[in-house]
């Protein structure tokens, strides 16, 4: 007897269809799973037998072989329990339409179905195969149901699923509640006193999806500026929500109550994080902080305290927007299109630029700190901003302890950012680019033509500021965003001048 059941497997944060083939032949009682199954799946033999019996169905006392197709790709995860158990139960039974359903779920010994990780990319793999109906654990139903063209059947027990497949009962499709309200974190740039130049730089960074490095003495507001950045970023599109939710689902970080990620991620890893923690990895590769911040913000506070190997590991992923991990069975990829926000002191003690405190670092320590911060990774960050403590004149009539708002609010800044992003989306339609910060050399050549006066200014800056060609390209991209914020089709001299002001030079680059 032979039965085939549909399911899927995960590689990185993507799924691919898998056929579970169950065959029973006469012989010594045995239960074998083949097809590059990991230990979690092989242990399923010990879960499935009692689960089937405790659900009221006989387990074959013959030679049972389960083949996972394709057999040349590795399979991991406990979600194979349910499709294997259903395949065994359906041996010799009539189950019309079972081949049009995908099955996912981990089994308890009493037949209850437990939730699993990565349900969204698994269900998406079924959709790509043309299957529009899936059985998932009840706890995973809300997440799976964000795919609007899929019928999601939430199940609690193996017996319930078996009776549905055999036409005895019918599981009602899950209907999720729609919620489009944007969550308010309570963080607003109107709460920031002074630092209008820094606010302007943050708005430019958000408008063009540029990375930003803020350097200044402790307490000048670097972290405060960074944590308010999500409040001015444009809302996620439906496709971006699916991308991010899939990543968090695989990582096991999805909230059972939420079901979908609606806000852009903001990740702030500690400086003791390992390379694997940043870029992902492990024997069963899991996404790292770079992927968890995909389509959002990766905040690196005190970059100088991070391990050099960790800093270097971020170079290529940040520039290419993808992480590639080589394994003996092939390549695993994770997305990493992030907006990098870096905060750093100018030296180890932080007082190098202070007018109120004395720097206790030696010349050697200062130079060593500079080399660590202003290396190849920082050169890949578009905006470099020197920050100073706010002057008392910037506090306004309310003074230091007042409660009045200052400057533009996050709502006003977000309106300008969204308008600028929409302009870029129209300009780059069909090109593969989405924002100015993503432009490569060809994109800069095609879309960032400078006026003659701007070209002369860039030539002078290249010679005087010690910039690299990569640094010049990033300044031009920032100038393009500044021009877009003003609604200018051309990049004028004043746009280049402002972009150049957002690049640390002189006292820092010159050592």
């Amino acid at each position: 007897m032979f039965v085939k059941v549909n399911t899927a497997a995960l590689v990185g944060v993507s799924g691919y269809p898998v056929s579970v083939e169950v065959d029973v032949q006469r012989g010594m009682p045995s239960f074998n799973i083949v097809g590059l199954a990991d230990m979690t799946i092989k242990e399923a033999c010990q879960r499935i037998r009692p689960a089937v019996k405790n659900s009221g169905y006989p387990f074959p006392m013959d030679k049972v072989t389960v083949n996972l197709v394709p057999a040349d790709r590795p399979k991991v995860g406990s979600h194979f329990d349910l499709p294997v158990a259903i395949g065994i139960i359906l041996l010799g039974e009539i189950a019309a339409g079972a081949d049009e359903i995908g099955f996912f779920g981990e089994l308890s010994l009493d037949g209850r179905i437990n939730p699993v990780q990565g349900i969204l990319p698994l269900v998406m793999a079924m959709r790509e195969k043309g299957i529009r109906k899936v059985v998932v654990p009840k706890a995973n139903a809300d997440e799976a149901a964000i795919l609007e063209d899929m019928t999601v059947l939430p199940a609690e027990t193996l017996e319930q699923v078996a009776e549905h497949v055999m036409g005895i009962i019918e599981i009602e499709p899950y209907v999720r509640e729609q919620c489009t309200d944007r969550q308010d974190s309570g963080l607003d740039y109107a709460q920031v006193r002074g630092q209008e130049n820094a606010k302007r730089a943050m708005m430019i960074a958000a408008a063009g999806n540029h990375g930003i490095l803020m350097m200044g003495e402790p307490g000048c507001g670097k972290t405060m500026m960074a944590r308010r950045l999500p409040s001015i970023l444009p809302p996620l599109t439906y496709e971006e929500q699916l991308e991010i939710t899939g990543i968090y689902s695989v990582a096991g970080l999805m909230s059972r109550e939420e079901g979908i990620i609606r806000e852009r991620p903001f990740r702030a890893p500690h400086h003791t994080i390992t390379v694997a923690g940043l870029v992902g990895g492990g024997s069963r590769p899991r996404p790292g902080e770079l992927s968890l911040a995909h389509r959002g913000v990766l905040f690196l506070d005190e970059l100088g305290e991070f391990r050099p190997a960790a800093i270097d590991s971020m170079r290529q992923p940040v520039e290419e927007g993808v992480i590639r991990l080589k394994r003996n069975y092939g390549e695993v990829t994770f997305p990493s299109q992030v907006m990098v926000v870096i905060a750093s002191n100018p030296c180890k003690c932080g007082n190098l630029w202070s007018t109120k405190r004395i720097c206790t670092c030696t010349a050697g320590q200062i130079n060593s700190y500079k080399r660590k911060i202003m290396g190849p990774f920082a050169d890949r960050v578009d905006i470099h901003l020197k920050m100073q403590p706010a002057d008392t004149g910037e506090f306004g009539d309310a003074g230091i302890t007042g409660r009045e708002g200052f400057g533009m609010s996050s709502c006003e800044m977000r309106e300008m950012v969204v308008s600028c992003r929409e302009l870029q989306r129209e300009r780059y339609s069909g090109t593969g680019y989405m924002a100015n910060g993503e432009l490569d050399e060809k994109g800069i050549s095609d879309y960032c033509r400078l006026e003659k006066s701007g070209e002369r200014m860039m030539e002078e800056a290249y010679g005087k500021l010690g910039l690299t060609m990569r640094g010049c390209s990033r300044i031009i991209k920032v100038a393009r965003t500044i021009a877009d914020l003003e609604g200018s089709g051309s990049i004028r001299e004043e746009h280049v001048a402002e972009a150049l002001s957002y690049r640390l030079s002189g006292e820092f680059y010159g050592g």
Side-chain angles (χ1 to χ4, degrees):
M1 293 179 288
F2 174 83
V3 171
K4 183 183 289 187
V5 179
N6 296 306
T7 187
L10 286 172
V11 174
V13 294
S14 302
Y16 65 91
V18 172
S19 295
V20 177
E21 299 177 342
V22 182
D23 181 74
V24 175
Q25 299 292 334
R26 297 191 62 178
M28 290 291 292
S30 63
F31 188 5
N32 298 303
I33 300 179
V34 298
L36 279 186
D38 78 332
M39 187 55 65
T40 304
I41 300 174
K42 291 189 178 296
E43 287 179 347
C45 302
Q46 307 304 319
R47 294 190 297 271
I48 292 171
R49 190 189 303 270
V52 171
K53 290 184 175 180
N54 291 330
S55 297
Y57 296 95
F59 195 91
M61 297 302 295
D62 291 301
K63 182 180 180 180
V64 180
T65 303
V66 177
N67 181 36
L68 307 179
V69 181
D72 62 341
R73 301 185 69 177
K75 324 291 189 311
V76 297
S78 58
H79 64 275
F80 286 95
D81 290 7
L82 181 60
V84 172
I86 287 297
I88 292 172
I89 291 174
L90 292 182
L91 289 168
E93 298 287 345
I94 298 176
D99 58 343
E100 298 176 357
I101 304 175
F103 297 87
F104 307 96
E106 176 189 306
L107 292 178
S108 292
L109 300 184
D110 60 357
R112 285 181 294 108
I113 301 177
N114 301 320
V116 297
Q117 295 181 5
I119 196 67
L120 181 59
L122 291 171
V123 173
M124 292 176 71
M126 290 288 91
R127 182 175 66 170
E128 292 174 5
K129 188 180 179 180
I131 294 174
R132 290 292 187 266
K133 186 180 293 185
V134 291
V135 174
V136 303
K138 187 176 182 180
N140 292 127
D142 197 56
E143 179 185 334
I146 68 176
L147 296 171
E148 300 167 351
D149 56 348
M150 295 294 289
T151 300
V152 176
L153 306 177
E156 297 182 83
T157 66
L158 175 60
E159 180 182 9
Q160 181 187 17
V161 177
E163 290 183 348
H164 172 83
V165 173
M166 291 186 286
I168 300 173
I169 65 169
E170 185 173 342
I171 301 176
E172 290 295 324
Y174 182 86
V175 179
R176 72 188 310 270
E177 296 181 3
Q178 298 295 325
C179 178
T180 58
D181 294 338
R182 182 166 182 152
Q183 299 177 357
D184 185 4
S185 65
L187 299 176
D188 195 299
Y189 278 114
Q191 301 162 346
V192 180
R193 300 180 181 280
Q195 300 294 3
E196 293 304 315
N197 184 54
K199 291 181 188 178
R200 167 75 174 174
M202 297 302 285
M203 184 173 69
I204 293 170
N209 197 32
H210 301 288
I212 182 169
L213 164 62
M214 295 175 288
M215 193 172 295
E217 62 185 85
C220 67
K222 302 184 296 292
T223 301
M224 178 172 60
M225 300 298 292
R227 292 197 175 276
R228 282 159 175 76
L229 182 58
S231 68
I232 65 174
L233 292 175
L236 290 169
T237 64
Y238 175 67
E239 291 74 19
E240 289 173 334
Q241 290 179 10
L242 292 182
E243 277 186 280
I244 299 169
T245 301
I247 295 169
Y248 276 69
S249 178
V250 170
L253 299 178
M254 281 299 300
S255 167
R256 300 296 182 201
E257 293 76 26
E258 189 172 13
I260 186 172
I261 303 294
R262 294 188 177 88
E263 299 297 318
R264 293 189 181 273
F266 182 91
R267 305 291 299 185
H270 193 260
H271 62 258
T272 58
I273 193 170
T274 62
V275 171
L278 274 172
V279 302
S283 57
R284 291 177 56 182
R286 286 288 183 268
E289 290 293 333
L290 273 166
S291 296
L292 294 175
H294 181 61
R295 303 293 186 189
V297 177
L298 179 69
F299 178 44
L300 304 174
D301 198 4
E302 296 304 335
L303 181 68
E305 302 300 325
F306 281 75
R307 296 182 178 94
I311 296 174
D312 290 340
S313 70
M314 292 185 286
R315 287 194 224 168
Q316 187 175 2
V318 167
E319 193 156 33
E320 295 186 359
V322 65
I323 299 165
R324 295 181 175 87
L325 302 177
K326 293 291 185 180
R327 293 295 184 267
N328 56 3
Y329 52 78
E331 184 179 77
V332 179
T333 61
F334 294 117
S336 60
Q337 293 182 352
V338 299
M339 183 177 174
V340 177
V341 178
I342 302 171
S344 179
N345 293 332
C347 65
K348 187 74 174 178
C349 74
N351 299 326
L352 180 63
W353 294 342
S354 177
T355 58
K356 299 178 181 179
R357 293 183 290 270
I358 298 175
C359 176
T360 59
C361 300
T362 66
Q365 289 175 325
I366 293 173
N367 289 330
S368 175
Y369 204 78
K370 288 180 181 180
R371 285 194 298 270
K372 190 174 183 182
I373 297 171
M374 307 308 295
F377 176 63
D379 199 34
R380 288 166 165 80
V381 177
D382 294 353
I383 297 175
H384 293 181
L385 180 67
K386 180 179 178 180
M387 289 187 62
Q388 299 282 10
D391 295 330
T392 54
E394 295 182 290
F395 293 140
D397 295 336
I400 293 178
T401 59
R403 296 181 179 273
E404 296 179 10
F406 289 82
M408 286 196 297
S409 67
S410 289
C411 182
E412 294 171 312
M413 295 169 70
R414 186 169 62 245
E415 288 180 3
M416 297 180 66
V417 168
V418 171
S419 177
C420 188
R421 285 285 189 104
E422 186 59 34
L423 187 155
Q424 295 168 60
R425 188 174 292 110
E426 293 177 2
R427 177 195 298 143
Y428 303 133
S429 177
T431 64
Y433 308 120
M434 295 186 66
N436 294 331
E438 301 174 12
L439 295 176
D440 54 19
E441 293 303 321
K442 183 179 184 305
I444 293 172
S445 175
D446 292 342
Y447 300 104
C448 300
R449 297 296 179 88
L450 306 181
E451 293 186 355
K452 290 296 183 181
S453 56
E455 288 184 1
R456 287 194 297 271
M457 180 173 287
M458 281 300 306
E459 291 172 359
E460 292 177 8
Y462 179 74
K464 293 180 179 179
L465 300 183
L467 300 174
T468 63
M469 287 303 297
R470 181 188 289 118
C472 288
S473 296
R474 297 187 180 279
I475 290 171
I476 293 172
K477 290 194 291 185
V478 173
R480 174 71 272 174
T481 299
I482 296 171
D484 289 342
L485 281 169
E486 294 186 1
S488 173
S490 60
I491 303 176
R492 301 193 298 270
E493 182 179 5
E494 59 266 29
H495 302 146
V496 175
E498 183 177 359
L500 282 168
S501 72
Y502 299 129
R503 198 77 183 180
L504 281 170
S505 59
E507 61 186 285
F508 209 81
Y509 278 115

